Amino acid sequence: MVQEYTTAQVKEHNSKGSVWILIHNDVYDVTPFLNEHPGGEEVLLEQAGKEATETFEDVGHSSDAREMMEKFKIGTLVAAERKADLPKKSDADWKEPSDASSSDSSLKSWILPVALGLIATAVYRLYFMS
Ligand code: HEM
């Protein structure tokens, strides 16, 4: 079973000796990672004991970073305190531009202007060139 924690418990781990962080309703013990975090220990210490989903997502962490964080996961937030989760970059509607499957959304983005252009041309021809 996954260990569950309350926000109050997470809050207690807010100093260099023990740093827990909440991201997407999961609890991470990043104490051993402080020295290794490419973004520096300061930012992690700043978020110690807190809910850091938004700051974590704002940085635009890579999929490598997301894999890495699994190692530090120690549990989840108790159901009663969970928040509606923020979308992860890896979720379907948050595809990164480099993602192969995002090509259909870029396709959609030019179909509309092209279609409007064709309709405008047809209307113009119909009314002004006959
Ligand atoms: C277990 C949690 C975390 C892991 C495993 C992690 C991992 C990483 C990794 C691997 C990078 C290098 C760039 C990349 O691959 O995306 C990075 C950069 C960074 N991280 Fe984290 N991170 C974590 C939590 C956080 C949190 C909570 C913050 C909050 C502010 C943060 C702020 C940053 C910043 C500012 C950078 C530098 C970005 C840059 O220089 O472009 N990280 N992190």
PDB file of all heavy atoms in Angstrom, residues 19-41:
ATOM      1  N   VAL A  19      13.873  17.480   3.832  1.00  0.00           N
ATOM      2  CA  VAL A  19      13.080  18.308   2.920  1.00  0.00           C
ATOM      3  C   VAL A  19      12.067  17.452   2.167  1.00  0.00           C
ATOM      4  O   VAL A  19      12.438  16.620   1.348  1.00  0.00           O
ATOM      5  CB  VAL A  19      13.991  19.046   1.901  1.00  0.00           C
ATOM      6  CG1 VAL A  19      13.144  19.868   0.941  1.00  0.00           C
ATOM      7  CG2 VAL A  19      14.984  19.945   2.613  1.00  0.00           C
ATOM      8  N   TRP A  20      10.795  17.652   2.503  1.00  0.00           N
ATOM      9  CA  TRP A  20       9.725  16.983   1.768  1.00  0.00           C
ATOM     10  C   TRP A  20       9.011  18.042   0.930  1.00  0.00           C
ATOM     11  O   TRP A  20       8.853  19.190   1.362  1.00  0.00           O
ATOM     12  CB  TRP A  20       8.709  16.346   2.714  1.00  0.00           C
ATOM     13  CG  TRP A  20       9.218  15.149   3.459  1.00  0.00           C
ATOM     14  CD1 TRP A  20      10.512  14.691   3.518  1.00  0.00           C
ATOM     15  CD2 TRP A  20       8.435  14.253   4.259  1.00  0.00           C
ATOM     16  NE1 TRP A  20      10.581  13.581   4.303  1.00  0.00           N
ATOM     17  CE2 TRP A  20       9.318  13.289   4.782  1.00  0.00           C
ATOM     18  CE3 TRP A  20       7.079  14.185   4.593  1.00  0.00           C
ATOM     19  CZ2 TRP A  20       8.885  12.258   5.617  1.00  0.00           C
ATOM     20  CZ3 TRP A  20       6.641  13.164   5.427  1.00  0.00           C
ATOM     21  CH2 TRP A  20       7.543  12.204   5.926  1.00  0.00           C
ATOM     22  N   ILE A  21       8.594  17.616  -0.270  1.00  0.00           N
ATOM     23  CA  ILE A  21       7.894  18.534  -1.166  1.00  0.00           C
ATOM     24  C   ILE A  21       6.678  17.833  -1.756  1.00  0.00           C
ATOM     25  O   ILE A  21       6.734  16.638  -2.040  1.00  0.00           O
ATOM     26  CB  ILE A  21       8.849  19.014  -2.293  1.00  0.00           C
ATOM     27  CG1 ILE A  21       9.942  19.904  -1.704  1.00  0.00           C
ATOM     28  CG2 ILE A  21       8.104  19.777  -3.371  1.00  0.00           C
ATOM     29  CD1 ILE A  21      10.958  20.368  -2.720  1.00  0.00           C
ATOM     30  N   LEU A  22       5.617  18.585  -1.908  1.00  0.00           N
ATOM     31  CA  LEU A  22       4.396  18.045  -2.514  1.00  0.00           C
ATOM     32  C   LEU A  22       4.320  18.449  -3.981  1.00  0.00           C
ATOM     33  O   LEU A  22       4.364  19.641  -4.299  1.00  0.00           O
ATOM     34  CB  LEU A  22       3.191  18.652  -1.802  1.00  0.00           C
ATOM     35  CG  LEU A  22       2.519  17.852  -0.701  1.00  0.00           C
ATOM     36  CD1 LEU A  22       1.550  18.751   0.043  1.00  0.00           C
ATOM     37  CD2 LEU A  22       1.807  16.649  -1.270  1.00  0.00           C
ATOM     38  N   ILE A  23       4.249  17.475  -4.865  1.00  0.00           N
ATOM     39  CA  ILE A  23       4.063  17.769  -6.286  1.00  0.00           C
ATOM     40  C   ILE A  23       2.994  16.824  -6.825  1.00  0.00           C
ATOM     41  O   ILE A  23       3.112  15.614  -6.672  1.00  0.00           O
ATOM     42  CB  ILE A  23       5.383  17.599  -7.084  1.00  0.00           C
ATOM     43  CG1 ILE A  23       6.449  18.571  -6.559  1.00  0.00           C
ATOM     44  CG2 ILE A  23       5.162  17.840  -8.576  1.00  0.00           C
ATOM     45  CD1 ILE A  23       7.840  18.327  -7.117  1.00  0.00           C
ATOM     46  N   HIS A  24       1.958  17.404  -7.448  1.00  0.00           N
ATOM     47  CA  HIS A  24       0.848  16.611  -7.981  1.00  0.00           C
ATOM     48  C   HIS A  24       0.299  15.629  -6.938  1.00  0.00           C
ATOM     49  O   HIS A  24       0.116  14.437  -7.232  1.00  0.00           O
ATOM     50  CB  HIS A  24       1.279  15.855  -9.239  1.00  0.00           C
ATOM     51  CG  HIS A  24       1.536  16.764 -10.405  1.00  0.00           C
ATOM     52  ND1 HIS A  24       0.554  17.509 -11.010  1.00  0.00           N
ATOM     53  CD2 HIS A  24       2.669  17.059 -11.065  1.00  0.00           C
ATOM     54  CE1 HIS A  24       1.069  18.213 -11.984  1.00  0.00           C
ATOM     55  NE2 HIS A  24       2.349  17.967 -12.049  1.00  0.00           N
ATOM     56  N   ASN A  25       0.109  16.118  -5.739  1.00  0.00           N
ATOM     57  CA  ASN A  25      -0.467  15.321  -4.647  1.00  0.00           C
ATOM     58  C   ASN A  25       0.394  14.156  -4.192  1.00  0.00           C
ATOM     59  O   ASN A  25      -0.076  13.292  -3.444  1.00  0.00           O
ATOM     60  CB  ASN A  25      -1.866  14.805  -5.028  1.00  0.00           C
ATOM     61  CG  ASN A  25      -2.863  15.936  -5.170  1.00  0.00           C
ATOM     62  OD1 ASN A  25      -2.800  16.923  -4.451  1.00  0.00           O
ATOM     63  ND2 ASN A  25      -3.778  15.795  -6.114  1.00  0.00           N
ATOM     64  N   ASP A  26       1.639  14.104  -4.668  1.00  0.00           N
ATOM     65  CA  ASP A  26       2.562  13.078  -4.192  1.00  0.00           C
ATOM     66  C   ASP A  26       3.619  13.728  -3.307  1.00  0.00           C
ATOM     67  O   ASP A  26       3.961  14.896  -3.493  1.00  0.00           O
ATOM     68  CB  ASP A  26       3.236  12.364  -5.372  1.00  0.00           C
ATOM     69  CG  ASP A  26       2.260  11.474  -6.126  1.00  0.00           C
ATOM     70  OD1 ASP A  26       1.341  10.932  -5.485  1.00  0.00           O
ATOM     71  OD2 ASP A  26       2.413  11.334  -7.357  1.00  0.00           O
ATOM     72  N   VAL A  27       4.093  12.938  -2.351  1.00  0.00           N
ATOM     73  CA  VAL A  27       5.075  13.459  -1.395  1.00  0.00           C
ATOM     74  C   VAL A  27       6.472  12.971  -1.786  1.00  0.00           C
ATOM     75  O   VAL A  27       6.680  11.780  -2.006  1.00  0.00           O
ATOM     76  CB  VAL A  27       4.735  12.989   0.039  1.00  0.00           C
ATOM     77  CG1 VAL A  27       5.725  13.581   1.037  1.00  0.00           C
ATOM     78  CG2 VAL A  27       3.306  13.379   0.408  1.00  0.00           C
ATOM     79  N   TYR A  28       7.399  13.916  -1.897  1.00  0.00           N
ATOM     80  CA  TYR A  28       8.772  13.586  -2.271  1.00  0.00           C
ATOM     81  C   TYR A  28       9.722  13.987  -1.157  1.00  0.00           C
ATOM     82  O   TYR A  28       9.641  15.097  -0.634  1.00  0.00           O
ATOM     83  CB  TYR A  28       9.164  14.310  -3.568  1.00  0.00           C
ATOM     84  CG  TYR A  28       8.329  13.886  -4.743  1.00  0.00           C
ATOM     85  CD1 TYR A  28       7.113  14.506  -5.026  1.00  0.00           C
ATOM     86  CD2 TYR A  28       8.738  12.826  -5.551  1.00  0.00           C
ATOM     87  CE1 TYR A  28       6.324  14.095  -6.092  1.00  0.00           C
ATOM     88  CE2 TYR A  28       7.952  12.397  -6.621  1.00  0.00           C
ATOM     89  CZ  TYR A  28       6.754  13.042  -6.883  1.00  0.00           C
ATOM     90  OH  TYR A  28       5.974  12.628  -7.931  1.00  0.00           O
ATOM     91  N   ASP A  29      10.627  13.048  -0.813  1.00  0.00           N
ATOM     92  CA  ASP A  29      11.680  13.362   0.143  1.00  0.00           C
ATOM     93  C   ASP A  29      12.938  13.644  -0.674  1.00  0.00           C
ATOM     94  O   ASP A  29      13.608  12.726  -1.145  1.00  0.00           O
ATOM     95  CB  ASP A  29      11.908  12.174   1.083  1.00  0.00           C
ATOM     96  CG  ASP A  29      13.015  12.455   2.088  1.00  0.00           C
ATOM     97  OD1 ASP A  29      13.666  13.518   1.984  1.00  0.00           O
ATOM     98  OD2 ASP A  29      13.230  11.609   2.967  1.00  0.00           O
ATOM     99  N   VAL A  30      13.217  14.937  -0.870  1.00  0.00           N
ATOM    100  CA  VAL A  30      14.333  15.321  -1.738  1.00  0.00           C
ATOM    101  C   VAL A  30      15.616  15.622  -0.951  1.00  0.00           C
ATOM    102  O   VAL A  30      16.564  16.158  -1.513  1.00  0.00           O
ATOM    103  CB  VAL A  30      13.973  16.539  -2.639  1.00  0.00           C
ATOM    104  CG1 VAL A  30      12.914  16.158  -3.641  1.00  0.00           C
ATOM    105  CG2 VAL A  30      13.514  17.729  -1.817  1.00  0.00           C
ATOM    106  N   THR A  31      15.622  15.225   0.333  1.00  0.00           N
ATOM    107  CA  THR A  31      16.810  15.494   1.160  1.00  0.00           C
ATOM    108  C   THR A  31      18.105  14.992   0.503  1.00  0.00           C
ATOM    109  O   THR A  31      19.066  15.759   0.398  1.00  0.00           O
ATOM    110  CB  THR A  31      16.650  14.876   2.570  1.00  0.00           C
ATOM    111  OG1 THR A  31      15.307  15.040   3.000  1.00  0.00           O
ATOM    112  CG2 THR A  31      17.599  15.530   3.554  1.00  0.00           C
ATOM    113  N   PRO A  32      18.137  13.739   0.003  1.00  0.00           N
ATOM    114  CA  PRO A  32      19.394  13.262  -0.594  1.00  0.00           C
ATOM    115  C   PRO A  32      19.688  13.903  -1.952  1.00  0.00           C
ATOM    116  O   PRO A  32      20.772  13.729  -2.497  1.00  0.00           O
ATOM    117  CB  PRO A  32      19.159  11.747  -0.764  1.00  0.00           C
ATOM    118  CG  PRO A  32      17.684  11.571  -0.786  1.00  0.00           C
ATOM    119  CD  PRO A  32      17.089  12.694  -0.008  1.00  0.00           C
ATOM    120  N   PHE A  33      18.717  14.631  -2.472  1.00  0.00           N
ATOM    121  CA  PHE A  33      18.833  15.184  -3.834  1.00  0.00           C
ATOM    122  C   PHE A  33      19.262  16.653  -3.811  1.00  0.00           C
ATOM    123  O   PHE A  33      19.629  17.221  -4.854  1.00  0.00           O
ATOM    124  CB  PHE A  33      17.464  15.025  -4.518  1.00  0.00           C
ATOM    125  CG  PHE A  33      17.406  15.416  -5.966  1.00  0.00           C
ATOM    126  CD1 PHE A  33      18.248  14.814  -6.901  1.00  0.00           C
ATOM    127  CD2 PHE A  33      16.498  16.365  -6.408  1.00  0.00           C
ATOM    128  CE1 PHE A  33      18.189  15.162  -8.243  1.00  0.00           C
ATOM    129  CE2 PHE A  33      16.429  16.728  -7.739  1.00  0.00           C
ATOM    130  CZ  PHE A  33      17.272  16.123  -8.669  1.00  0.00           C
ATOM    131  N   LEU A  34      19.260  17.256  -2.611  1.00  0.00           N
ATOM    132  CA  LEU A  34      19.557  18.692  -2.505  1.00  0.00           C
ATOM    133  C   LEU A  34      20.833  19.081  -3.253  1.00  0.00           C
ATOM    134  O   LEU A  34      20.843  20.026  -4.048  1.00  0.00           O
ATOM    135  CB  LEU A  34      19.678  19.111  -1.039  1.00  0.00           C
ATOM    136  CG  LEU A  34      18.373  19.129  -0.229  1.00  0.00           C
ATOM    137  CD1 LEU A  34      18.660  19.481   1.218  1.00  0.00           C
ATOM    138  CD2 LEU A  34      17.372  20.106  -0.830  1.00  0.00           C
ATOM    139  N   ASN A  35      21.907  18.333  -2.992  1.00  0.00           N
ATOM    140  CA  ASN A  35      23.202  18.653  -3.613  1.00  0.00           C
ATOM    141  C   ASN A  35      23.244  18.367  -5.106  1.00  0.00           C
ATOM    142  O   ASN A  35      24.067  18.907  -5.817  1.00  0.00           O
ATOM    143  CB  ASN A  35      24.323  17.830  -2.964  1.00  0.00           C
ATOM    144  CG  ASN A  35      24.635  18.348  -1.586  1.00  0.00           C
ATOM    145  OD1 ASN A  35      24.551  19.545  -1.344  1.00  0.00           O
ATOM    146  ND2 ASN A  35      24.971  17.442  -0.680  1.00  0.00           N
ATOM    147  N   GLU A  36      22.364  17.460  -5.541  1.00  0.00           N
ATOM    148  CA  GLU A  36      22.431  17.022  -6.941  1.00  0.00           C
ATOM    149  C   GLU A  36      21.451  17.748  -7.849  1.00  0.00           C
ATOM    150  O   GLU A  36      21.558  17.647  -9.067  1.00  0.00           O
ATOM    151  CB  GLU A  36      22.147  15.513  -7.020  1.00  0.00           C
ATOM    152  CG  GLU A  36      23.238  14.673  -6.397  1.00  0.00           C
ATOM    153  CD  GLU A  36      22.754  13.263  -6.088  1.00  0.00           C
ATOM    154  OE1 GLU A  36      22.052  12.698  -6.937  1.00  0.00           O
ATOM    155  OE2 GLU A  36      23.062  12.760  -4.996  1.00  0.00           O
ATOM    156  N   HIS A  37      20.502  18.446  -7.288  1.00  0.00           N
ATOM    157  CA  HIS A  37      19.487  19.089  -8.123  1.00  0.00           C
ATOM    158  C   HIS A  37      20.125  20.096  -9.070  1.00  0.00           C
ATOM    159  O   HIS A  37      20.767  21.049  -8.625  1.00  0.00           O
ATOM    160  CB  HIS A  37      18.454  19.801  -7.224  1.00  0.00           C
ATOM    161  CG  HIS A  37      17.345  20.439  -7.992  1.00  0.00           C
ATOM    162  ND1 HIS A  37      16.870  21.699  -7.707  1.00  0.00           N
ATOM    163  CD2 HIS A  37      16.620  19.994  -9.036  1.00  0.00           C
ATOM    164  CE1 HIS A  37      15.891  21.986  -8.550  1.00  0.00           C
ATOM    165  NE2 HIS A  37      15.725  20.971  -9.363  1.00  0.00           N
ATOM    166  N   PRO A  38      19.973  19.904 -10.398  1.00  0.00           N
ATOM    167  CA  PRO A  38      20.594  20.824 -11.356  1.00  0.00           C
ATOM    168  C   PRO A  38      20.115  22.264 -11.178  1.00  0.00           C
ATOM    169  O   PRO A  38      20.804  23.204 -11.569  1.00  0.00           O
ATOM    170  CB  PRO A  38      20.168  20.267 -12.717  1.00  0.00           C
ATOM    171  CG  PRO A  38      19.796  18.847 -12.464  1.00  0.00           C
ATOM    172  CD  PRO A  38      19.251  18.815 -11.078  1.00  0.00           C
ATOM    173  N   GLY A  39      18.943  22.425 -10.620  1.00  0.00           N
ATOM    174  CA  GLY A  39      18.408  23.770 -10.388  1.00  0.00           C
ATOM    175  C   GLY A  39      18.879  24.363  -9.062  1.00  0.00           C
ATOM    176  O   GLY A  39      18.478  25.466  -8.708  1.00  0.00           O
ATOM    177  N   GLY A  40      19.726  23.637  -8.352  1.00  0.00           N
ATOM    178  CA  GLY A  40      20.290  24.147  -7.100  1.00  0.00           C
ATOM    179  C   GLY A  40      19.474  23.773  -5.878  1.00  0.00           C
ATOM    180  O   GLY A  40      18.266  23.505  -5.988  1.00  0.00           O
ATOM    181  N   GLU A  41      20.125  23.734  -4.720  1.00  0.00           N
ATOM    182  CA  GLU A  41      19.410  23.331  -3.505  1.00  0.00           C
ATOM    183  C   GLU A  41      18.522  24.450  -2.975  1.00  0.00           C
ATOM    184  O   GLU A  41      17.525  24.198  -2.319  1.00  0.00           O
ATOM    185  CB  GLU A  41      20.381  22.841  -2.426  1.00  0.00           C
ATOM    186  CG  GLU A  41      21.303  23.901  -1.867  1.00  0.00           C
ATOM    187  CD  GLU A  41      22.076  23.415  -0.632  1.00  0.00           C
ATOM    188  OE1 GLU A  41      21.948  22.240  -0.257  1.00  0.00           O
ATOM    189  OE2 GLU A  41      22.807  24.237  -0.063  1.00  0.00           O
TER     190      GLU A  41
END
